[in-house]
């Protein structure tokens, strides 16, 4: 667990996870959370690629998973 936390801290990966969670908390349904999370993840990665970076599937996945986690939090509360 400690390695996971350190891995999230050393890069901007925690921002992708947190951003996805914010999307999920604001979503009204699972479909909305998934769709918005995938669109936002794709847009973020396209922005990185357009500015000379590389497409990062881990960041893409963290944003999408964060949306589902955020909606899970909303559904439970």
């Amino acid at each position: 667990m400690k390695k996971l936390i350190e891995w999230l801290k050393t890069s901007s990966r925690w921002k992708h996870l947190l951003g996805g969670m914010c999307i999920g908390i604001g979503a009204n349904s699972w479909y909305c959370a998934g769709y918005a999370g995938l669109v936002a993840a794709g847009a973020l990665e396209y922005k990185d690629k357009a500015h000379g970076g590389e497409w990062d599937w881990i960041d893409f996945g963290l944003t999408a998973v964060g949306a589902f986690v955020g909606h899970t939090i909303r559904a439970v509360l």
Side-chain angles (χ1 to χ4, degrees), residues 3-59:
K3 287 183 181 182
L4 177 67
I5 293 171
E6 288 299 319
W7 178 71
L8 285 170
K9 281 184 181 179
T10 57
S11 63
S12 67
R13 300 201 192 280
W14 67 273
K15 293 178 187 176
H16 286 271
L17 189 62
L18 184 64
M21 288 175 70
C22 291
I23 290 168
I25 288 172
N28 290 330
S29 67
W30 292 105
Y31 176 79
C32 180
Y35 187 75
L38 289 174
V39 168
L44 287 170
E45 291 310 309
Y46 175 75
K47 181 238 351 149
D48 289 345
K49 187 161 180 66
H51 289 273
E54 293 185 11
W55 187 280
D56 189 356
W57 285 105
I58 295 173
D59 287 348

Side-chain angles (χ1 to χ4, degrees), residues 21 23-25 27-30 33 66-76:
M21 288 175 70
I23 290 168
I25 288 172
N28 290 330
S29 67
W30 292 105
F68 285 108
V69 169
H71 191 69
T72 301
I73 291 169
R74 177 186 173 127
V76 170

